Amino acid sequence: MLDSNLKAQLKAYLEKITQPIELVASLDDSDKSRELHDLLQEITSLSHQITLTLASDNKERSPSFSINRLHKINGEAGIRFAGIPMGHEFTSLVLALLQTGGHPPKVDAAVIEQITRLEGDFEFETYISLSCQNCPEVVQALNLMAVLNPRVRSTVIDGALFQAEVESRQIMAVPTIYLNGQLFDQGRMSIEGIIAKLDSESSKDIAEKISAKAPYDVLIVGGGPAGASAAIYAARKGIRTGVVAGRFGGQVLDTMSIENFVSIAHTEGPKFAAALEQHVKTYDVDITNLQQAEKLIPAGPGQLLNEITLASGATLKAKTIILATGARWREMNVPGEQLYRNHGVAYCPHCDGPLFKGKRVAVVGGGNSGVEAAIDLAGIVSHVTLIEFASELRADAVLQNKLRSLPNVTIFTSAKTLEVMGDGKKVTGISYENLNNGAQQQIELEGIFVQIGLVPNTEWLKGTLELSNRGEIIVDARGQTSLPGIFAAGDVTTVPYKQIVIAVGEGAKAALGAFDHLIRS
């Protein structure tokens, strides 16, 4: 299964294992079991520290395998993969092997301490798809927790392979996490976020520590490309720089493929976000992650410091602030959308598409994102209906031509989405109005992928500074907002063309503008 180059790389990684580990496989007569068996045999051939054993019973999902420390009491397995962890999850497999085998994780000591002191028994089941770029962070976090705390167990389940479970638990979005048999959360989560949800006392301690931080010369709110660029440019000026972000990387984390960032022919969103964070950390920048900004309190007359209030109750102060909170997927705002969100209504075709294998879905939106999503889904699902409000598709001609060549795609233009229909548990259809004749139509289907653009994350700023009629922060040529000392950059602003490369440039410009403001005032 592994080509020669990948084998060579994996062999080099596995040489870092210091403790013997055992892979225990639960297999049946299926092709997938044989495929998994081949993979595990290849892995064991690359390290004398790894052995493979076939389970003598069928108590576990098949195909699946656990990763055990040989010296662990009763051979208890903390990590199990149900499926074949290739694609985005191959890195998760490698990390699980290394960490179980004694290689130290690259995690802050404070985080390790929080994990080891967790009280209780935690059995996590995480449903993923191998094409999901958001899933590995959750998988790797829970696997590490299982390595560090014997009372934590982590099972990773490929939803495309275990369709019966997905159907019975009505899982229509990944990652979906169950804890001790109950739904715990859905979507991307960092290890710090998971711990905070398990340990409320640690959240209070963190908020107190944040509030005790000294004021910054410049504080960047947001950790996407604009925020990262602003942090680098500010730190290089030798001024006290801080970043506060809900998740470092921002919207880039949800981007499957990046092919237009100058000097990088191709990369994936999560990899690009990790590179941004690593670059920022090479400078003296204080990063406060997993914290959502809730209120901006600008400095009053005669005051020096602006203030940001966080959802956790913590506060941060700074002489200048750069707002780089980015944007999020725009919603349809029709009846049923919120009710069936993650129960048939989805926003990431790359992540959730495999869960709809063989089913009927709709894509709402005829721009590049919508047409690309429809093309991608057409190779997985039985039929795709694309619904576009305008009288014609807005995507590039080459994409439109590809879409129209697919036999299992239907396109409706001049169509206004009216309602997401469901049975109370999951999506069963969508209704739309034909704008040419006013007729209302209904389509029976199981999934709806919304691809109608972005909306700026500025609700928390309304009434504080000047926004456009689309909710974007109005800025001048230097990134200055309507408030002195408050700057903004990236997709959250009125600057046209929401592109990563533009956001990076705007972040740099805002940082230089903030520095200029500091030295002049």
Side-chain angles (χ1 to χ4, degrees):
M1 289 186 64
L2 306 178
D3 62 37
S4 57
N5 289 334
L6 191 55
K7 276 186 179 181
Q9 293 175 29
L10 181 56
K11 182 177 177 62
Y13 278 118
L14 296 182
E15 288 175 357
K16 299 176 182 179
I17 293 176
T18 60
Q19 301 170 4
I21 59 178
E22 178 186 36
L23 307 180
V24 181
S26 295
L27 307 173
D28 54 25
D29 295 329
S30 66
D31 290 340
K32 287 296 181 181
S33 282
R34 285 186 282 274
E35 191 176 336
L36 176 60
H37 189 223
D38 290 345
L39 173 63
L40 298 181
Q41 284 185 316
E42 286 188 72
I43 291 172
T44 55
S45 71
L46 299 176
S47 173
H48 68 279
Q49 295 276 27
I50 305 175
T51 57
L52 173 62
T53 302
L54 300 183
S56 57
D57 55 53
N58 291 316
K59 293 180 181 179
E60 301 291 347
R61 298 173 179 87
S62 295
S64 70
F65 66 100
S66 61
I67 303 176
N68 302 344
R69 292 191 186 98
L70 282 179
H71 67 268
K72 196 170 183 179
I73 298 174
N74 298 325
E76 191 74 12
I79 298 174
R80 176 172 291 275
F81 286 93
I84 305 170
M86 298 298 289
H88 286 294
E89 293 302 338
F90 187 71
T91 300
S92 301
L93 168 61
V94 175
L95 287 174
L97 293 170
L98 293 178
Q99 292 164 357
T100 304
H103 188 67
K106 295 180 179 180
V107 180
D108 291 341
V111 172
I112 294 176
E113 182 183 354
Q114 285 179 289
I115 294 171
T116 55
R117 74 184 185 195
L118 285 173
E119 297 182 357
D121 294 311
F122 304 94
E123 177 124 13
F124 289 99
E125 297 169 290
T126 307
Y127 290 86
I128 58 97
S129 70
L130 298 181
S131 60
C132 170
Q133 68 267 33
N134 291 323
C135 295
E137 183 172 3
V138 173
V139 170
Q140 291 163 24
L142 293 174
N143 284 352
L144 177 58
M145 290 172 65
V147 169
L148 296 175
N149 189 325
R151 301 185 71 176
V152 177
R153 295 168 63 91
S154 171
T155 300
V156 185
I157 306 159
D158 180 1
L161 192 56
F162 292 88
Q163 282 281 340
E165 287 189 44
V166 168
E167 292 286 347
S168 65
R169 282 182 159 174
Q170 297 182 352
I171 295 168
M172 294 184 174
V174 290
T176 291
I177 311 167
Y178 277 77
L179 172 59
N180 298 335
Q182 301 297 316
L183 182 63
F184 176 73
D185 214 322
Q186 289 181 314
R188 190 184 189 101
M189 292 185 76
S190 68
I191 193 166
E192 294 89 351
I194 295 169
I195 296 169
K197 191 164 183 176
L198 295 174
D199 185 0
S200 58
E201 288 302 315
S202 69
S203 299
K204 294 178 183 178
D205 294 341
I206 291 170
E208 290 178 0
K209 291 178 181 178
I210 292 172
S211 296
K213 292 185 177 184
Y216 301 98
D217 291 311
V218 59
L219 173 64
I220 297 107
V221 184
S229 175
I232 291 169
Y233 268 75
R236 286 173 62 87
K237 293 295 184 182
I239 57 179
R240 177 164 163 75
T241 304
V243 174
V244 59
R247 56 173 188 166
F248 206 99
Q251 188 77 9
V252 167
L253 291 166
D254 302 324
T255 303
M256 183 65 178
S257 179
I258 300 171
E259 298 177 337
N260 56 1
F261 193 83
V262 180
S263 82
I264 301 175
H266 175 269
T267 186
E268 295 173 347
K271 291 181 180 179
F272 188 79
L276 287 177
E277 186 170 9
Q278 185 178 9
H279 193 176
V280 171
K281 286 182 176 178
T282 62
Y283 294 94
D284 187 14
V285 177
D286 182 36
I287 299 176
T288 303
N289 212 350
L290 301 174
Q291 295 291 324
Q292 199 71 35
E294 197 170 68
K295 187 177 182 181
L296 166 64
I297 304 174
Q303 294 181 326
L304 180 64
L305 298 175
N306 306 283
E307 188 172 303
I308 293 289
T309 301
L310 307 178
S312 64
T315 59
L316 290 169
K317 297 180 180 180
K319 295 176 184 177
T320 61
I321 290 175
I322 299 174
L323 302 170
T325 48
R328 63 187 184 277
W329 292 116
R330 186 179 297 277
E331 298 175 350
M332 298 182 292
N333 293 319
V334 300
E337 180 179 18
Q338 292 304 319
L339 178 62
Y340 296 107
R341 189 184 183 105
N342 294 330
H343 294 281
V345 176
Y347 300 85
C348 180
H350 303 293
C351 299
D352 301 330
L355 299 179
F356 294 85
K357 183 178 181 180
K359 298 181 179 180
R360 300 160 298 176
V361 304
V363 173
V364 179
N368 281 351
S369 296
V371 172
E372 286 174 352
I375 293 170
D376 186 28
L377 290 166
I380 302 171
V381 304
S382 64
H383 190 272
V384 179
T385 300
L386 188 140
I387 299 173
E388 165 58 33
F389 180 84
S391 59
E392 58 185 24
L393 300 183
R394 295 168 286 109
D396 296 341
V398 64
L399 294 175
Q400 292 191 43
N401 292 338
K402 174 63 177 177
L403 182 69
R404 296 182 193 280
S405 72
L406 301 174
N408 61 335
V409 173
T410 301
I411 301 170
F412 292 119
T413 56
S414 299
K416 179 183 178 181
T417 303
L418 298 176
E419 182 180 1
V420 174
M421 301 180 296
D423 59 8
K425 295 181 179 179
K426 61 183 184 301
V427 166
T428 59
I430 190 171
S431 68
Y432 70 94
E433 177 187 352
N434 184 325
L435 296 177
N436 293 322
N437 57 24
Q440 294 187 12
Q441 306 288 336
Q442 293 183 354
I443 304 172
E444 293 185 359
L445 42 74
E446 290 77 37
I448 300 169
F449 289 83
V450 183
Q451 300 283 288
I452 54 175
L454 302 171
V455 59
N457 295 315
T458 55
E459 289 84 358
W460 63 289
L461 294 168
K462 289 180 179 179
T464 306
L465 46 67
E466 189 176 359
L467 303 175
S468 71
N469 57 7
R470 298 178 61 182
E472 297 168 323
I473 301 173
I474 298 174
V475 294
D476 66 13
R478 291 177 173 80
Q480 172 79 52
T481 71
S482 58
L483 296 174
I486 308 297
F487 296 78
D491 288 0
V492 76
T493 72
T494 50
V495 172
Y497 312 120
K498 311 304 185 186
Q499 298 291 311
I500 295 172
V501 68
I502 293 174
V504 168
E506 291 296 309
K509 185 169 67 176
L512 295 174
F515 179 72
D516 185 66
H517 175 85
L518 286 170
I519 62 177
R520 292 178 184 275
S521 61

